[in-house]
Every structure is written in C-alpha cells, then in structure tokens.
C-alpha cells in the first residue's frame, strides 16, 4: 500500500519570538501572521479561553468546560501583538470549536488501531547525528531532482533559483531523522514549539526558517525527489498551497534537503531561509 503525507509551516525571525512561553495578551489589537493547515490530531485542553477567531476578542467557551474531551486540531495560527507572538491552535469536536493557545493543549493518546498501521519493523535507536547527514546514491539523485523541479517552477514564476546551503542541509537532515524516529511528520515538539526554528541556531542559522515535511511508503527510493516536489508544488490544495508558497517565497535564496528511510517509508524535510 502506498502512502503519501506532507505538512508545511514557516518560522519567523527571532524578533517575533514565535517560540513563546505565554499566550498573547488580548487587550490590544492583534495581527494574524500566518494560518497553516495541519494534519488532524486529537488533543486535550487543560485550561484557558477558547476564542471565536484569531482576533482573540470574543470568548466562545472556557477550556475547562470541555472536561478533557478530545479536541481535534486542524490549523495553527501565529498571532502577533507588538513584539510578541504566540501560536494558537484551531480546535473542534461536536460541541466545541475555536482558537486556544497551544500551551493549554496536550496530545491525546493515539488509538491502538491507528498506531498499528504505522508500525513496520522494530526501530533501531540511532542516536549518532553523523549518520543523518550521510548522503546515499538515491539521496544525491533525489536532491538533484528536487532542486531542479523547484528551480524550474521558480523560474516560471520569475523567482531567483534556490542554492543548496550546507547549514540548511544539516538542519534538514536532522529534521528528516526526527520524522524517522517519530514514525510520523510533525513541526512541533510536545510543548508546541516549532522545532526547526529552535534548532536552527545550532547550525549557525540566524534567519527565519520555513519548513515542509513529507513522507511516503511503498515506493522505490529512486524518483522520490520528483514525487516529493510534485506533491509540494502541484498537489497541495489540502494545505491551501502553503508548501508551494514556501518554496516560491521570492526572498528565499538558500535551501536544505533532508532524507531518511525506515523500512519502506521515506521521510523528507525541506528548510529554507525566510
């Protein structure tokens, strides 16, 4: 059985403080920086106010009223007030819907049946960072195919070509390996922080960072660069073309492409300057 899945998001520069530790104060007018559709996932709310919109002016309900019912997150929003920004999640179920600060949400346990579909062979715990940066023959070809497809598309849209950057390559390799260890793709850690944004300084990256994540199963590794680029650029309607917009961002000049494989599943991470 073949499986393809992708998600994308942008991390803004450090001046916006995306990795916040408290929700945005709502006394003054707020500004929505970006809304990103994400793979549907269940959460439980611990406390806080559920707002009707990203303006954060009208409260629909108190999170405690959910009584730890499963709330499904389908969108993330980066919301700014002054110099501060925070990430809010759009939650919904049959009774509740609205926007809640991500720090008040905890991931709900995954149902066993769904977990079973993701299990392949027992994973070997690979902890040596150097292994994630080794480029195999199929990865080298995938990099070449992916970059050629993206730059061809950028040329059609009158955007300058992207250039492989060693620092972004290291970041992308580490993020692909994260997906491999997780067995899934997720931009955020358990605390709700954008992982690539927080990790970028470890590789000397001080600019903003955008990220696209992709996974597929049941295909030969040869040709994965072409398949991934096609999904990002031409089959992205479910994500409101967020991946395509990331890859076409006119101010981006540097790109990192990371790959990891576990069984017959291939994971891809794309990181660019933003």
């Amino acid at each position: 059985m073949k499986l393809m899945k992708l998600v994308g998001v942008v991390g803004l520069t450090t001046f916006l403080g995306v990795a916040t530790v408290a929700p945005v104060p709502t006394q003054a007018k707020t500004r929505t920086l970006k809304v990103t559709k994400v793979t549907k996932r269940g959460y439980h709310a611990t406390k806080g106010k559920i707002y009707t919109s990203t303006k954060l002016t009208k409260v629909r309900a108190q999170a405690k009223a959910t009584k730890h019912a499963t709330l499904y997150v389908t969108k993330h929003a980066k919301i700014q007030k002054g110099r501060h920004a925070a990430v809010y999640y759009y939650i919904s179920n049959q009774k509740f819907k609205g926007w809640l600060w991500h720090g008040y949400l905890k991931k709900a346990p995954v149902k066993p049946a769904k977990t079973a579909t993701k299990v392949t062979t027992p994973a070997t715990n690979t902890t040596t960072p150097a292994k994630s940066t080794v480029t195999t023959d199929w990865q080298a070809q995938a990099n070449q195919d992916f970059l050629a497809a993206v730059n061809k598309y950028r040329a059609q849209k009158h955007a300058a070509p992207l250039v492989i950057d060693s620092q972004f390559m290291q970041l992308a390799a580490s993020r692909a390996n994260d997906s491999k260890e997780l067995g899934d793709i997720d931009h955020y850690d358990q605390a709700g922080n954008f992982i690539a944004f927080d990790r970028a300084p470890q590789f000397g990256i001080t600019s903003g960072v955008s990220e696209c994540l992709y996974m597929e199963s049941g295909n030969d590794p040869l040709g994965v660069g072409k398949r991934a680029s096609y999904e990002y650029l031409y089959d992205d309607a479910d994500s409101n073309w967020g991946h395509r917009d990331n890859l076409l961002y006119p101010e981006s000049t540097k790109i990192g492409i990371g790959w990891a494989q576990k069984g017959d599943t291939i994971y891809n991470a794309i990181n660019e300057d933003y």
Side-chain angles (χ1 to χ4, degrees):
M1 179 181 72
K2 295 182 179 180
L3 166 71
M4 292 186 179
K5 179 179 176 183
L6 62 162
V7 292
V9 73
V10 174
L12 303 179
T13 63
T14 54
F15 296 103
L16 293 180
V18 173
T20 54
V21 296
V24 176
T26 57
Q27 301 95 310
K29 184 177 179 181
T30 60
R31 184 164 68 96
T32 302
L33 301 174
K34 188 175 180 67
V35 177
T36 305
K37 290 185 178 181
V38 297
T39 303
K40 184 177 179 180
R41 184 156 190 173
Y43 286 76
H44 292 154
T46 58
K47 59 181 179 178
K49 299 175 182 178
I50 301 173
Y51 293 93
T52 59
S53 72
T54 55
K55 293 180 181 179
L56 308 182
T57 55
K58 185 177 180 180
V59 177
R60 173 165 283 151
Q62 297 291 331
K64 63 182 180 181
T66 67
K67 297 181 180 179
H68 298 288
T70 300
L71 306 168
Y72 294 96
V73 171
T74 54
K75 291 182 285 188
H76 296 169
K78 297 182 184 67
I79 301 173
Q80 183 182 8
K81 177 184 177 296
R83 284 190 165 186
H84 303 284
V87 176
Y88 280 71
Y89 287 179
Y90 181 78
I91 56 94
S92 64
N93 62 13
Q94 292 182 344
K95 189 175 181 180
F96 299 95
K97 63 179 180 179
W99 295 91
L100 180 64
W101 181 57
H102 75 274
Y104 294 149
L105 288 162
K106 303 296 182 183
K107 288 181 180 178
V110 179
K111 293 181 180 180
K114 292 185 177 180
T115 302
T117 62
K118 294 180 180 293
V119 174
T120 52
T121 55
T124 300
N125 185 20
T126 303
T127 58
T128 306
K131 290 186 178 181
S132 66
T133 62
V134 174
T135 303
T136 63
D137 290 340
W138 71 262
Q139 290 174 337
Q141 184 63 52
N143 290 347
Q144 180 178 328
D145 291 343
F146 186 92
L147 188 61
V150 170
N151 280 339
K152 179 180 179 180
Y153 197 88
R154 285 177 66 89
Q156 293 171 357
K157 302 299 180 179
H158 309 290
L162 298 174
V163 177
I164 293 288
D165 178 85
S166 61
Q167 294 172 319
F168 279 87
M169 287 293 283
Q170 292 177 69
L171 175 60
S174 74
R175 291 293 294 124
N177 196 59
D178 287 341
S179 297
K180 172 185 172 181
E181 295 300 321
L182 180 65
D184 201 350
I185 49 180
D186 197 335
H187 296 292
Y188 300 92
D189 61 20
Q190 292 184 344
N193 299 315
F194 181 26
I195 299 171
F197 180 80
D198 289 345
R199 189 176 298 171
Q202 298 179 21
F203 302 105
I205 298 170
T206 57
S207 65
V209 175
S210 71
E211 179 170 89
C212 299
L213 299 177
Y214 168 86
M215 63 183 284
E216 65 168 54
S217 295
N219 287 316
D220 190 292
L222 295 178
V224 68
K226 294 179 180 179
R227 293 192 297 271
S229 63
Y230 180 87
E231 293 294 320
Y232 287 136
L233 295 171
Y234 301 101
D235 194 20
D236 195 33
D238 288 345
S239 296
N240 198 29
W241 304 103
H243 307 93
R244 182 194 64 185
D245 292 346
N246 281 356
L247 292 169
L248 284 179
Y249 186 62
E251 302 302 319
S252 294
T253 59
K254 303 173 183 178
I255 187 172
I257 309 170
W259 305 94
Q261 185 174 14
K262 182 178 180 180
D264 70 345
T265 302
I266 298 173
Y267 303 92
N268 167 248
I270 303 297
N271 293 111
E272 295 174 61
D273 59 330
Y274 199 89

